[in-house]
Amino acid sequence: MVGPPTEERFDAMLLHMAQQHEVGGIEPLLDTFFGFLRRKTDFFTGVMQGKAEGMVLDAFRKHCDQARKEKEKKAASDKFEKPIPKPEPATIEEITTEGAKAMAPPVLEKEAPSAPVDESKLEEGEESEKGKLVPNSGNGANYDHYSFTQTLEELEVRVPLGGSYKSRDCKVDIKDRSLSVGLKGQEPIIKGELFAKILTDEAMWHLEDSQVVVLTLEKFNKVEWWGTIIKGDTEISTKKVQPENSKLGDLDGETRGMVEKMMYDQRQKAAGKPTSDDEKKAETMRKFMEQHPEMDFSKCKWG
C-alpha cells in the first residue's frame, strides 16, 4: 500500500491547480486532469482503451473506501479519547489596540530595493550598463511593487498584495508576452509587456501566507538572462549575473556548456585575463604564424 509521504509529494503542485479552479468546485479540476490525459497521452485511445474506465473507477472506489474508513476511525477516536467540552457562558471582551495588533496576521518585511550599479567601476565597453541595477542574490531584482529571481530556464515573481487575502480575491492574467497581477476590482499591481516570451502551459501561481502572489514562469528561450519582468522597469545588469547561482546539474549538455563558458569568461575578465574567445583567436593566430615563418608579424597590432 502506498504510504502518506508518497501521496503527499505532489500536494504543492495539485494545490496550485486547485487554487486556479476555485470557481465551479471540483468539476473543472477533474475536467482539466482528463483533458490533459486526452491531449498529452493515449489513455483513451491506446492499448489501455478498454481498461481506462475501469482503472478510473478502481481508483475512485479505492480512495472513497479509504476516506470512509479514515472518517470512521477519526469519529471513534474523538468519541472515546476527547472529553466533551462544557459550554461556557458568552462574554463580551473589549479588544485593546495592542490586542488587535497581536491578533492581526504578521506583516511581511519588504525587501530593500535593488541598488544601481557603481558606474565608477564599469569597465571599458560597459557604458550600456549605466543606470541599471545590481542583481539580487537570485540574479533578479527587488522593486517597490514586486521582486523576481531567475535561472536560465525559469523565473519566480513575487507580488506583495499589501494585506491578507484569499486566492479568489486575486486576478492573475498570464499570456506568452504579457502579465497582469492584482486584486479584483482594483488597478493591477503589475501590468505590461513581458521582457521576453514565456511558455504559458508551464506557468503557475499561488498565494503565499495570504499576502504574496508567487508566480513560476518558464522561459521560451532558455539561454537568456532577463533584464526585468515588465518592459519599461529598470533592468538589471545581466553582465553582473552570477551563473553559479543556477543549478547547472539541471541543464542539458548544450546549455550547461554555454553557462560554464559564461562563468569562465566572467572570471577571466574580472582577473584582467583573456576570455575564451580571445584565447581561441590567439591560438588561431599562433598556428597561422607557425605555418608562415616567411612573413613578418613584428609590426602587427593584436587585440
Side-chain angles (χ1 to χ4, degrees), residues 67-77:
R68 190 179 297 112
K69 290 178 179 178
E70 291 171 353
K71 183 178 180 180
E72 291 172 354
K73 183 178 179 180
K74 184 177 184 301
S77 176

Side-chain angles (χ1 to χ4, degrees), residues 16 125-126 196 210 248 283 299:
H16 292 166
E126 291 187 338
S210 302
L248 296 182
E283 179 63 16
K299 295 182 180 180

Side-chain angles (χ1 to χ4, degrees), residues 55-152:
M55 292 172 64
V56 173
L57 290 174
D58 287 344
F60 172 81
R61 294 188 183 109
K62 168 190 169 183
H63 290 283
C64 183
D65 182 58
Q66 187 173 337
R68 190 179 297 112
K69 290 178 179 178
E70 291 171 353
K71 183 178 180 180
E72 291 172 354
K73 183 178 179 180
K74 184 177 184 301
S77 176
D78 291 344
K79 180 178 180 180
F80 293 105
E81 295 182 12
K82 294 184 178 180
I84 300 175
K86 295 181 180 180
E88 297 181 359
T91 60
I92 299 176
E93 181 180 353
E94 182 180 357
I95 299 178
T96 63
T97 302
E98 290 74 15
K101 290 181 179 179
M103 295 171 62
V107 178
L108 298 179
E109 288 189 20
K110 193 173 183 180
E111 296 182 86
S114 295
V117 297
D118 187 345
E119 297 184 5
S120 65
K121 295 183 180 180
L122 292 178
E123 300 178 7
E124 186 178 350
E126 291 187 338
E127 289 79 9
S128 60
E129 303 306 293
K130 290 182 178 180
K132 294 186 177 182
L133 303 175
V134 176
N136 59 23
S137 59
N139 290 328
N142 304 329
Y143 300 103
D144 289 335
H145 51 310
Y146 75 93
S147 64
F148 81 97
T149 57
Q150 65 176 319
T151 65
L152 274 174

